[in-house]
Amino acid sequence: MHWRSEKIDGFDLSPPDDEQVHVLAVDDSLVDRKVIERLLKISCCKVTAVDSGIRALQFLGLDEEKSSSVGFDDLKVDLIITDYCMPGMTGYELLKKIKESSTFREIPVVIMSSENVMARIDRCLEEGAEDFIVKPVKLSDVKRLRDYMTAREFRVKNQQIGNNNNIKNNNKRRLRETCDLSSSPLSMLFSSSSPSPSLSPSSLSSPSSPSPCLSPLPSPPILSYSAPCSPTSLDSPTRRLKMSSSD
Amino acid sequence: MDVIVQLQRQIVDFTASLYREGYVDDQFTQLQKLQDESSPDFVMEVASLFFVDCEKLVNNMARALELQAVDFKQVDSHVHQLKGSSSSVGAARIKNACIAFRTYCESQDREGCLRCLQLVNHEYAQLKIKLQTLFRLEQQIVAAGGTIPVLQ
């Protein structure tokens, strides 16, 4: 099923592809910054790469001491991807600061780490991270993020259309069914995951728990969007961790 | 034309040996996928950055291990950094040497650490030579009017 080209009732539901996804990448390693920047650019993202959490906050204008001179409208950061282990402010601390901000808490934050530690992953997801990628970062990881961002844009736009139609009292039931992705064929592939808005910490910490990636997300899980596009990205972050050879 | 074919065969064989002998791993392949007309020297650029980083970190480790009272946490932090960047570029032998290195840091074994440092330095030198050979072959092909074979 191909979301992009779908037209329903004369509405063009394709996401705006003239607007590139703007990613703020945070990593203290120059080598890693160069690689992630290229991975994102080749996946058609606009990239701003900074070397610390402090600089990331400065760029966003969240830093108390020194704010970015760029206006908020120009920034339009769509996704933040950050390394976990950094001197000074860790990726986790940066995540917290972003989620504490009323302006920026809606921006999805993805954590990258070379360390394959469940407790760390759980902690990040609990704090509101959208995803956790084990380094080294590959093209398939970035593609998964890209698909998620596209679907997210699409969903937001649909909700806007849906709201407009409710007001106009026009085909609202039909449109809502079409836009309600939790009842879409895609999520039926993952029958275990009806998106649960609330997070139960106990289910995350138990060893036999399902992928933590699915339950904490209030929106439909990342997996349900990437599955039709690339079979390899069916693996959740945690399943990928188990499959990849750890240290 | 013959020259190009010969060079291409050389590159294919040489690259295959790099993987076979464990100098590079799948992540190196990932880097090659990121190289195209818009970024034709990407792999070489990343490799250069990596070697500079590697040299700096090896020097830091050496200095830290020279001290009377070695700060093993500090040494480990340098090794951790090198492990990270070597992993990101697919420098498998260096990465594996770092993994072993960290266990000696943990057990605060100075002699063990020094041996690991020697190994890391050796692997760094080896990989540098290997990749310089690869890049030179690639440049020769392009100069002769040929294209670098895509390996998989």
Side-chain angles (χ1 to χ4, degrees), chain A residues 73-97:
Chain A
D73 286 343
D74 298 343
L75 285 178
K76 205 189 145 276
V77 170
D78 301 305
L79 173 73
I80 298 168
I81 181 163
T82 177
D83 190 23
Y84 184 93
C85 251
M86 295 187 292
M89 186 183 287
T90 66
Y92 177 71
E93 286 160 356
L94 176 61
L95 166 69
K96 280 179 76 168
K97 279 254 163 16

mmCIF file with all atom_site columns, all heavy atoms in Angstrom, chain A residues 73-97:
data_model
loop_
_atom_site.group_PDB
_atom_site.id
_atom_site.type_symbol
_atom_site.label_atom_id
_atom_site.label_alt_id
_atom_site.label_comp_id
_atom_site.label_asym_id
_atom_site.label_entity_id
_atom_site.label_seq_id
_atom_site.pdbx_PDB_ins_code
_atom_site.Cartn_x
_atom_site.Cartn_y
_atom_site.Cartn_z
_atom_site.occupancy
_atom_site.B_iso_or_equiv
_atom_site.pdbx_formal_charge
_atom_site.auth_seq_id
_atom_site.auth_comp_id
_atom_site.auth_asym_id
_atom_site.auth_atom_id
_atom_site.pdbx_PDB_model_num
ATOM 1   N N   . ASP A 1 73 ? 10.522 30.424 13.281 1.00 0.00 ? 73 ASP A N   1
ATOM 2   C CA  . ASP A 1 73 ? 9.915  29.967 12.041 1.00 0.00 ? 73 ASP A CA  1
ATOM 3   C C   . ASP A 1 73 ? 10.958 29.453 11.062 1.00 0.00 ? 73 ASP A C   1
ATOM 4   O O   . ASP A 1 73 ? 10.698 28.530 10.315 1.00 0.00 ? 73 ASP A O   1
ATOM 5   C CB  . ASP A 1 73 ? 9.128  31.114 11.377 1.00 0.00 ? 73 ASP A CB  1
ATOM 6   C CG  . ASP A 1 73 ? 7.826  31.393 12.130 1.00 0.00 ? 73 ASP A CG  1
ATOM 7   O OD1 . ASP A 1 73 ? 7.415  30.531 12.914 1.00 0.00 ? 73 ASP A OD1 1
ATOM 8   O OD2 . ASP A 1 73 ? 7.246  32.461 11.917 1.00 0.00 ? 73 ASP A OD2 1
ATOM 9   N N   . ASP A 1 74 ? 12.132 30.087 11.068 1.00 0.00 ? 74 ASP A N   1
ATOM 10  C CA  . ASP A 1 74 ? 13.180 29.672 10.139 1.00 0.00 ? 74 ASP A CA  1
ATOM 11  C C   . ASP A 1 74 ? 13.778 28.337 10.546 1.00 0.00 ? 74 ASP A C   1
ATOM 12  O O   . ASP A 1 74 ? 14.222 27.571 9.715  1.00 0.00 ? 74 ASP A O   1
ATOM 13  C CB  . ASP A 1 74 ? 14.305 30.718 10.091 1.00 0.00 ? 74 ASP A CB  1
ATOM 14  C CG  . ASP A 1 74 ? 13.784 32.061 9.596  1.00 0.00 ? 74 ASP A CG  1
ATOM 15  O OD1 . ASP A 1 74 ? 12.687 32.074 9.010  1.00 0.00 ? 74 ASP A OD1 1
ATOM 16  O OD2 . ASP A 1 74 ? 14.476 33.065 9.805  1.00 0.00 ? 74 ASP A OD2 1
ATOM 17  N N   . LEU A 1 75 ? 13.816 28.071 11.832 1.00 0.00 ? 75 LEU A N   1
ATOM 18  C CA  . LEU A 1 75 ? 14.453 26.860 12.317 1.00 0.00 ? 75 LEU A CA  1
ATOM 19  C C   . LEU A 1 75 ? 13.717 25.610 11.865 1.00 0.00 ? 75 LEU A C   1
ATOM 20  O O   . LEU A 1 75 ? 14.292 24.736 11.254 1.00 0.00 ? 75 LEU A O   1
ATOM 21  C CB  . LEU A 1 75 ? 14.521 26.875 13.844 1.00 0.00 ? 75 LEU A CB  1
ATOM 22  C CG  . LEU A 1 75 ? 15.565 27.786 14.463 1.00 0.00 ? 75 LEU A CG  1
ATOM 23  C CD1 . LEU A 1 75 ? 15.478 27.718 15.978 1.00 0.00 ? 75 LEU A CD1 1
ATOM 24  C CD2 . LEU A 1 75 ? 16.947 27.387 14.011 1.00 0.00 ? 75 LEU A CD2 1
ATOM 25  N N   . LYS A 1 76 ? 12.445 25.541 12.221 1.00 0.00 ? 76 LYS A N   1
ATOM 26  C CA  . LYS A 1 76 ? 11.599 24.412 11.861 1.00 0.00 ? 76 LYS A CA  1
ATOM 27  C C   . LYS A 1 76 ? 12.338 23.078 11.885 1.00 0.00 ? 76 LYS A C   1
ATOM 28  O O   . LYS A 1 76 ? 12.495 22.416 10.869 1.00 0.00 ? 76 LYS A O   1
ATOM 29  C CB  . LYS A 1 76 ? 10.992 24.655 10.479 1.00 0.00 ? 76 LYS A CB  1
ATOM 30  C CG  . LYS A 1 76 ? 9.692  23.882 10.295 1.00 0.00 ? 76 LYS A CG  1
ATOM 31  C CD  . LYS A 1 76 ? 9.206  23.951 8.864  1.00 0.00 ? 76 LYS A CD  1
ATOM 32  C CE  . LYS A 1 76 ? 8.539  22.663 8.429  1.00 0.00 ? 76 LYS A CE  1
ATOM 33  N NZ  . LYS A 1 76 ? 9.513  21.659 7.964  1.00 0.00 ? 76 LYS A NZ  1
ATOM 34  N N   . VAL A 1 77 ? 12.821 22.717 13.044 1.00 0.00 ? 77 VAL A N   1
ATOM 35  C CA  . VAL A 1 77 ? 13.469 21.419 13.189 1.00 0.00 ? 77 VAL A CA  1
ATOM 36  C C   . VAL A 1 77 ? 12.389 20.356 13.275 1.00 0.00 ? 77 VAL A C   1
ATOM 37  O O   . VAL A 1 77 ? 11.480 20.449 14.094 1.00 0.00 ? 77 VAL A O   1
ATOM 38  C CB  . VAL A 1 77 ? 14.372 21.406 14.448 1.00 0.00 ? 77 VAL A CB  1
ATOM 39  C CG1 . VAL A 1 77 ? 14.854 20.001 14.749 1.00 0.00 ? 77 VAL A CG1 1
ATOM 40  C CG2 . VAL A 1 77 ? 15.557 22.335 14.253 1.00 0.00 ? 77 VAL A CG2 1
ATOM 41  N N   . ASP A 1 78 ? 12.484 19.346 12.408 1.00 0.00 ? 78 ASP A N   1
ATOM 42  C CA  . ASP A 1 78 ? 11.458 18.304 12.381 1.00 0.00 ? 78 ASP A CA  1
ATOM 43  C C   . ASP A 1 78 ? 11.835 17.079 13.191 1.00 0.00 ? 78 ASP A C   1
ATOM 44  O O   . ASP A 1 78 ? 10.971 16.296 13.586 1.00 0.00 ? 78 ASP A O   1
ATOM 45  C CB  . ASP A 1 78 ? 11.202 17.885 10.932 1.00 0.00 ? 78 ASP A CB  1
ATOM 46  C CG  . ASP A 1 78 ? 10.750 19.057 10.082 1.00 0.00 ? 78 ASP A CG  1
ATOM 47  O OD1 . ASP A 1 78 ? 9.757  19.693 10.464 1.00 0.00 ? 78 ASP A OD1 1
ATOM 48  O OD2 . ASP A 1 78 ? 11.402 19.340 9.064  1.00 0.00 ? 78 ASP A OD2 1
ATOM 49  N N   . LEU A 1 79 ? 13.142 16.896 13.372 1.00 0.00 ? 79 LEU A N   1
ATOM 50  C CA  . LEU A 1 79 ? 13.612 15.702 14.083 1.00 0.00 ? 79 LEU A CA  1
ATOM 51  C C   . LEU A 1 79 ? 14.962 16.014 14.709 1.00 0.00 ? 79 LEU A C   1
ATOM 52  O O   . LEU A 1 79 ? 15.795 16.704 14.116 1.00 0.00 ? 79 LEU A O   1
ATOM 53  C CB  . LEU A 1 79 ? 13.751 14.532 13.105 1.00 0.00 ? 79 LEU A CB  1
ATOM 54  C CG  . LEU A 1 79 ? 14.391 13.232 13.603 1.00 0.00 ? 79 LEU A CG  1
ATOM 55  C CD1 . LEU A 1 79 ? 13.458 12.472 14.522 1.00 0.00 ? 79 LEU A CD1 1
ATOM 56  C CD2 . LEU A 1 79 ? 14.781 12.343 12.436 1.00 0.00 ? 79 LEU A CD2 1
ATOM 57  N N   . ILE A 1 80 ? 15.174 15.501 15.905 1.00 0.00 ? 80 ILE A N   1
ATOM 58  C CA  . ILE A 1 80 ? 16.479 15.648 16.554 1.00 0.00 ? 80 ILE A CA  1
ATOM 59  C C   . ILE A 1 80 ? 17.057 14.265 16.752 1.00 0.00 ? 80 ILE A C   1
ATOM 60  O O   . ILE A 1 80 ? 16.402 13.373 17.303 1.00 0.00 ? 80 ILE A O   1
ATOM 61  C CB  . ILE A 1 80 ? 16.344 16.374 17.906 1.00 0.00 ? 80 ILE A CB  1
ATOM 62  C CG1 . ILE A 1 80 ? 15.804 17.793 17.692 1.00 0.00 ? 80 ILE A CG1 1
ATOM 63  C CG2 . ILE A 1 80 ? 17.694 16.427 18.626 1.00 0.00 ? 80 ILE A CG2 1
ATOM 64  C CD1 . ILE A 1 80 ? 15.363 18.501 18.949 1.00 0.00 ? 80 ILE A CD1 1
ATOM 65  N N   . ILE A 1 81 ? 18.280 14.074 16.261 1.00 0.00 ? 81 ILE A N   1
ATOM 66  C CA  . ILE A 1 81 ? 18.945 12.783 16.475 1.00 0.00 ? 81 ILE A CA  1
ATOM 67  C C   . ILE A 1 81 ? 20.239 13.048 17.229 1.00 0.00 ? 81 ILE A C   1
ATOM 68  O O   . ILE A 1 81 ? 21.073 13.848 16.809 1.00 0.00 ? 81 ILE A O   1
ATOM 69  C CB  . ILE A 1 81 ? 19.159 12.029 15.138 1.00 0.00 ? 81 ILE A CB  1
ATOM 70  C CG1 . ILE A 1 81 ? 19.832 10.680 15.379 1.00 0.00 ? 81 ILE A CG1 1
ATOM 71  C CG2 . ILE A 1 81 ? 19.949 12.842 14.121 1.00 0.00 ? 81 ILE A CG2 1
ATOM 72  C CD1 . ILE A 1 81 ? 19.713 9.723  14.211 1.00 0.00 ? 81 ILE A CD1 1
ATOM 73  N N   . THR A 1 82 ? 20.372 12.402 18.370 1.00 0.00 ? 82 THR A N   1
ATOM 74  C CA  . THR A 1 82 ? 21.506 12.696 19.226 1.00 0.00 ? 82 THR A CA  1
ATOM 75  C C   . THR A 1 82 ? 22.219 11.467 19.746 1.00 0.00 ? 82 THR A C   1
ATOM 76  O O   . THR A 1 82 ? 21.604 10.435 20.030 1.00 0.00 ? 82 THR A O   1
ATOM 77  C CB  . THR A 1 82 ? 21.087 13.604 20.420 1.00 0.00 ? 82 THR A CB  1
ATOM 78  O OG1 . THR A 1 82 ? 22.208 13.821 21.270 1.00 0.00 ? 82 THR A OG1 1
ATOM 79  C CG2 . THR A 1 82 ? 19.971 12.981 21.235 1.00 0.00 ? 82 THR A CG2 1
ATOM 80  N N   . ASP A 1 83 ? 23.534 11.598 19.885 1.00 0.00 ? 83 ASP A N   1
ATOM 81  C CA  . ASP A 1 83 ? 24.342 10.573 20.500 1.00 0.00 ? 83 ASP A CA  1
ATOM 82  C C   . ASP A 1 83 ? 24.018 10.559 21.983 1.00 0.00 ? 83 ASP A C   1
ATOM 83  O O   . ASP A 1 83 ? 23.660 11.589 22.559 1.00 0.00 ? 83 ASP A O   1
ATOM 84  C CB  . ASP A 1 83 ? 25.831 10.894 20.266 1.00 0.00 ? 83 ASP A CB  1
ATOM 85  C CG  . ASP A 1 83 ? 26.731 9.740  20.662 1.00 0.00 ? 83 ASP A CG  1
ATOM 86  O OD1 . ASP A 1 83 ? 26.261 8.577  20.697 1.00 0.00 ? 83 ASP A OD1 1
ATOM 87  O OD2 . ASP A 1 83 ? 27.915 9.997  20.936 1.00 0.00 ? 83 ASP A OD2 1
ATOM 88  N N   . TYR A 1 84 ? 24.148 9.397  22.617 1.00 0.00 ? 84 TYR A N   1
ATOM 89  C CA  . TYR A 1 84 ? 23.851 9.311  24.043 1.00 0.00 ? 84 TYR A CA  1
ATOM 90  C C   . TYR A 1 84 ? 25.035 9.788  24.875 1.00 0.00 ? 84 TYR A C   1
ATOM 91  O O   . TYR A 1 84 ? 24.928 10.658 25.728 1.00 0.00 ? 84 TYR A O   1
ATOM 92  C CB  . TYR A 1 84 ? 23.497 7.866  24.418 1.00 0.00 ? 84 TYR A CB  1
ATOM 93  C CG  . TYR A 1 84 ? 23.088 7.701  25.855 1.00 0.00 ? 84 TYR A CG  1
ATOM 94  C CD1 . TYR A 1 84 ? 21.742 7.771  26.224 1.00 0.00 ? 84 TYR A CD1 1
ATOM 95  C CD2 . TYR A 1 84 ? 24.039 7.490  26.841 1.00 0.00 ? 84 TYR A CD2 1
ATOM 96  C CE1 . TYR A 1 84 ? 21.367 7.631  27.547 1.00 0.00 ? 84 TYR A CE1 1
ATOM 97  C CE2 . TYR A 1 84 ? 23.662 7.351  28.168 1.00 0.00 ? 84 TYR A CE2 1
ATOM 98  C CZ  . TYR A 1 84 ? 22.331 7.426  28.522 1.00 0.00 ? 84 TYR A CZ  1
ATOM 99  O OH  . TYR A 1 84 ? 21.964 7.293  29.835 1.00 0.00 ? 84 TYR A OH  1
ATOM 100 N N   . CYS A 1 85 ? 26.198 9.153  24.597 1.00 0.00 ? 85 CYS A N   1
ATOM 101 C CA  . CYS A 1 85 ? 27.420 9.417  25.367 1.00 0.00 ? 85 CYS A CA  1
ATOM 102 C C   . CYS A 1 85 ? 28.151 10.634 24.845 1.00 0.00 ? 85 CYS A C   1
ATOM 103 O O   . CYS A 1 85 ? 28.866 10.556 23.850 1.00 0.00 ? 85 CYS A O   1
ATOM 104 C CB  . CYS A 1 85 ? 28.359 8.218  25.223 1.00 0.00 ? 85 CYS A CB  1
ATOM 105 S SG  . CYS A 1 85 ? 28.499 7.264  26.707 1.00 0.00 ? 85 CYS A SG  1
ATOM 106 N N   . MET A 1 86 ? 27.984 11.758 25.523 1.00 0.00 ? 86 MET A N   1
ATOM 107 C CA  . MET A 1 86 ? 28.725 12.960 25.126 1.00 0.00 ? 86 MET A CA  1
ATOM 108 C C   . MET A 1 86 ? 29.253 13.635 26.373 1.00 0.00 ? 86 MET A C   1
ATOM 109 O O   . MET A 1 86 ? 28.587 13.611 27.415 1.00 0.00 ? 86 MET A O   1
ATOM 110 C CB  . MET A 1 86 ? 27.803 13.928 24.365 1.00 0.00 ? 86 MET A CB  1
ATOM 111 C CG  . MET A 1 86 ? 27.304 13.392 23.028 1.00 0.00 ? 86 MET A CG  1
ATOM 112 S SD  . MET A 1 86 ? 26.407 14.633 22.081 1.00 0.00 ? 86 MET A SD  1
ATOM 113 C CE  . MET A 1 86 ? 24.938 14.878 23.062 1.00 0.00 ? 86 MET A CE  1
ATOM 114 N N   . PRO A 1 87 ? 30.427 14.266 26.281 1.00 0.00 ? 87 PRO A N   1
ATOM 115 C CA  . PRO A 1 87 ? 30.923 14.991 27.448 1.00 0.00 ? 87 PRO A CA  1
ATOM 116 C C   . PRO A 1 87 ? 30.025 16.195 27.723 1.00 0.00 ? 87 PRO A C   1
ATOM 117 O O   . PRO A 1 87 ? 29.388 16.727 26.834 1.00 0.00 ? 87 PRO A O   1
ATOM 118 C CB  . PRO A 1 87 ? 32.324 15.444 27.013 1.00 0.00 ? 87 PRO A CB  1
ATOM 119 C CG  . PRO A 1 87 ? 32.300 15.423 25.537 1.00 0.00 ? 87 PRO A CG  1
ATOM 120 C CD  . PRO A 1 87 ? 31.324 14.376 25.113 1.00 0.00 ? 87 PRO A CD  1
ATOM 121 N N   . GLY A 1 88 ? 29.957 16.614 28.975 1.00 0.00 ? 88 GLY A N   1
ATOM 122 C CA  . GLY A 1 88 ? 29.082 17.731 29.312 1.00 0.00 ? 88 GLY A CA  1
ATOM 123 C C   . GLY A 1 88 ? 27.661 17.234 29.422 1.00 0.00 ? 88 GLY A C   1
ATOM 124 O O   . GLY A 1 88 ? 27.317 16.470 30.312 1.00 0.00 ? 88 GLY A O   1
ATOM 125 N N   . MET A 1 89 ? 26.849 17.610 28.492 1.00 0.00 ? 89 MET A N   1
ATOM 126 C CA  . MET A 1 89 ? 25.446 17.180 28.507 1.00 0.00 ? 89 MET A CA  1
ATOM 127 C C   . MET A 1 89 ? 25.275 15.894 27.699 1.00 0.00 ? 89 MET A C   1
ATOM 128 O O   . MET A 1 89 ? 25.612 15.841 26.526 1.00 0.00 ? 89 MET A O   1
ATOM 129 C CB  . MET A 1 89 ? 24.587 18.305 27.900 1.00 0.00 ? 89 MET A CB  1
ATOM 130 C CG  . MET A 1 89 ? 23.096 18.039 27.981 1.00 0.00 ? 89 MET A CG  1
ATOM 131 S SD  . MET A 1 89 ? 22.139 19.338 27.176 1.00 0.00 ? 89 MET A SD  1
ATOM 132 C CE  . MET A 1 89 ? 22.311 20.648 28.334 1.00 0.00 ? 89 MET A CE  1
ATOM 133 N N   . THR A 1 90 ? 24.723 14.871 28.338 1.00 0.00 ? 90 THR A N   1
ATOM 134 C CA  . THR A 1 90 ? 24.510 13.620 27.602 1.00 0.00 ? 90 THR A CA  1
ATOM 135 C C   . THR A 1 90 ? 23.274 13.756 26.701 1.00 0.00 ? 90 THR A C   1
ATOM 136 O O   . THR A 1 90 ? 22.487 14.696 26.849 1.00 0.00 ? 90 THR A O   1
ATOM 137 C CB  . THR A 1 90 ? 24.267 12.431 28.559 1.00 0.00 ? 90 THR A CB  1
ATOM 138 O OG1 . THR A 1 90 ? 23.019 12.657 29.232 1.00 0.00 ? 90 THR A OG1 1
ATOM 139 C CG2 . THR A 1 90 ? 25.387 12.273 29.563 1.00 0.00 ? 90 THR A CG2 1
ATOM 140 N N   . GLY A 1 91 ? 23.110 12.806 25.817 1.00 0.00 ? 91 GLY A N   1
ATOM 141 C CA  . GLY A 1 91 ? 21.948 12.810 24.935 1.00 0.00 ? 91 GLY A CA  1
ATOM 142 C C   . GLY A 1 91 ? 20.659 12.682 25.728 1.00 0.00 ? 91 GLY A C   1
ATOM 143 O O   . GLY A 1 91 ? 19.632 13.258 25.382 1.00 0.00 ? 91 GLY A O   1
ATOM 144 N N   . TYR A 1 92 ? 20.737 11.943 26.820 1.00 0.00 ? 92 TYR A N   1
ATOM 145 C CA  . TYR A 1 92 ? 19.587 11.765 27.698 1.00 0.00 ? 92 TYR A CA  1
ATOM 146 C C   . TYR A 1 92 ? 19.183 13.088 28.335 1.00 0.00 ? 92 TYR A C   1
ATOM 147 O O   . TYR A 1 92 ? 17.997 13.437 28.389 1.00 0.00 ? 92 TYR A O   1
ATOM 148 C CB  . TYR A 1 92 ? 19.911 10.722 28.768 1.00 0.00 ? 92 TYR A CB  1
ATOM 149 C CG  . TYR A 1 92 ? 18.815 10.503 29.770 1.00 0.00 ? 92 TYR A CG  1
ATOM 150 C CD1 . TYR A 1 92 ? 17.638 9.852  29.409 1.00 0.00 ? 92 TYR A CD1 1
ATOM 151 C CD2 . TYR A 1 92 ? 18.936 10.943 31.090 1.00 0.00 ? 92 TYR A CD2 1
ATOM 152 C CE1 . TYR A 1 92 ? 16.622 9.650  30.318 1.00 0.00 ? 92 TYR A CE1 1
ATOM 153 C CE2 . TYR A 1 92 ? 17.933 10.736 32.000 1.00 0.00 ? 92 TYR A CE2 1
ATOM 154 C CZ  . TYR A 1 92 ? 16.768 10.098 31.612 1.00 0.00 ? 92 TYR A CZ  1
ATOM 155 O OH  . TYR A 1 92 ? 15.760 9.899  32.522 1.00 0.00 ? 92 TYR A OH  1
ATOM 156 N N   . GLU A 1 93 ? 20.177 13.838 28.801 1.00 0.00 ? 93 GLU A N   1
ATOM 157 C CA  . GLU A 1 93 ? 19.909 15.142 29.411 1.00 0.00 ? 93 GLU A CA  1
ATOM 158 C C   . GLU A 1 93 ? 19.333 16.115 28.384 1.00 0.00 ? 93 GLU A C   1
ATOM 159 O O   . GLU A 1 93 ? 18.439 16.903 28.680 1.00 0.00 ? 93 GLU A O   1
ATOM 160 C CB  . GLU A 1 93 ? 21.188 15.704 30.038 1.00 0.00 ? 93 GLU A CB  1
ATOM 161 C CG  . GLU A 1 93 ? 21.567 14.988 31.337 1.00 0.00 ? 93 GLU A CG  1
ATOM 162 C CD  . GLU A 1 93 ? 23.032 15.170 31.710 1.00 0.00 ? 93 GLU A CD  1
ATOM 163 O OE1 . GLU A 1 93 ? 23.792 15.777 30.934 1.00 0.00 ? 93 GLU A OE1 1
ATOM 164 O OE2 . GLU A 1 93 ? 23.409 14.673 32.798 1.00 0.00 ? 93 GLU A OE2 1
ATOM 165 N N   . LEU A 1 94 ? 19.848 16.034 27.166 1.00 0.00 ? 94 LEU A N   1
ATOM 166 C CA  . LEU A 1 94 ? 19.329 16.879 26.090 1.00 0.00 ? 94 LEU A CA  1
ATOM 167 C C   . LEU A 1 94 ? 17.875 16.528 25.799 1.00 0.00 ? 94 LEU A C   1
ATOM 168 O O   . LEU A 1 94 ? 17.022 17.405 25.643 1.00 0.00 ? 94 LEU A O   1
ATOM 169 C CB  . LEU A 1 94 ? 20.175 16.699 24.823 1.00 0.00 ? 94 LEU A CB  1
ATOM 170 C CG  . LEU A 1 94 ? 19.720 17.432 23.566 1.00 0.00 ? 94 LEU A CG  1
ATOM 171 C CD1 . LEU A 1 94 ? 19.709 18.940 23.775 1.00 0.00 ? 94 LEU A CD1 1
ATOM 172 C CD2 . LEU A 1 94 ? 20.594 17.078 22.375 1.00 0.00 ? 94 LEU A CD2 1
ATOM 173 N N   . LEU A 1 95 ? 17.598 15.227 25.762 1.00 0.00 ? 95 LEU A N   1
ATOM 174 C CA  . LEU A 1 95 ? 16.239 14.732 25.551 1.00 0.00 ? 95 LEU A CA  1
ATOM 175 C C   . LEU A 1 95 ? 15.285 15.313 26.597 1.00 0.00 ? 95 LEU A C   1
ATOM 176 O O   . LEU A 1 95 ? 14.219 15.825 26.259 1.00 0.00 ? 95 LEU A O   1
ATOM 177 C CB  . LEU A 1 95 ? 16.231 13.203 25.613 1.00 0.00 ? 95 LEU A CB  1
ATOM 178 C CG  . LEU A 1 95 ? 14.896 12.469 25.750 1.00 0.00 ? 95 LEU A CG  1
ATOM 179 C CD1 . LEU A 1 95 ? 14.067 12.608 24.486 1.00 0.00 ? 95 LEU A CD1 1
ATOM 180 C CD2 . LEU A 1 95 ? 15.122 10.999 26.071 1.00 0.00 ? 95 LEU A CD2 1
ATOM 181 N N   . LYS A 1 96 ? 15.697 15.256 27.840 1.00 0.00 ? 96 LYS A N   1
ATOM 182 C CA  . LYS A 1 96 ? 14.867 15.770 28.928 1.00 0.00 ? 96 LYS A CA  1
ATOM 183 C C   . LYS A 1 96 ? 14.583 17.255 28.752 1.00 0.00 ? 96 LYS A C   1
ATOM 184 O O   . LYS A 1 96 ? 13.454 17.706 28.896 1.00 0.00 ? 96 LYS A O   1
ATOM 185 C CB  . LYS A 1 96 ? 15.550 15.528 30.284 1.00 0.00 ? 96 LYS A CB  1
ATOM 186 C CG  . LYS A 1 96 ? 15.365 14.107 30.791 1.00 0.00 ? 96 LYS A CG  1
ATOM 187 C CD  . LYS A 1 96 ? 16.067 13.880 32.111 1.00 0.00 ? 96 LYS A CD  1
ATOM 188 C CE  . LYS A 1 96 ? 15.323 14.492 33.278 1.00 0.00 ? 96 LYS A CE  1
ATOM 189 N NZ  . LYS A 1 96 ? 15.867 14.017 34.571 1.00 0.00 ? 96 LYS A NZ  1
ATOM 190 N N   . LYS A 1 97 ? 15.637 18.003 28.410 1.00 0.00 ? 97 LYS A N   1
ATOM 191 C CA  . LYS A 1 97 ? 15.477 19.453 28.248 1.00 0.00 ? 97 LYS A CA  1
ATOM 192 C C   . LYS A 1 97 ? 14.474 19.761 27.144 1.00 0.00 ? 97 LYS A C   1
ATOM 193 O O   . LYS A 1 97 ? 13.665 20.681 27.254 1.00 0.00 ? 97 LYS A O   1
ATOM 194 C CB  . LYS A 1 97 ? 16.829 20.086 27.898 1.00 0.00 ? 97 LYS A CB  1
ATOM 195 C CG  . LYS A 1 97 ? 17.754 20.331 29.081 1.00 0.00 ? 97 LYS A CG  1
ATOM 196 C CD  . LYS A 1 97 ? 17.796 21.803 29.417 1.00 0.00 ? 97 LYS A CD  1
ATOM 197 C CE  . LYS A 1 97 ? 18.326 22.246 30.746 1.00 0.00 ? 97 LYS A CE  1
ATOM 198 N NZ  . LYS A 1 97 ? 19.094 21.399 31.574 1.00 0.00 ? 97 LYS A NZ  1
#
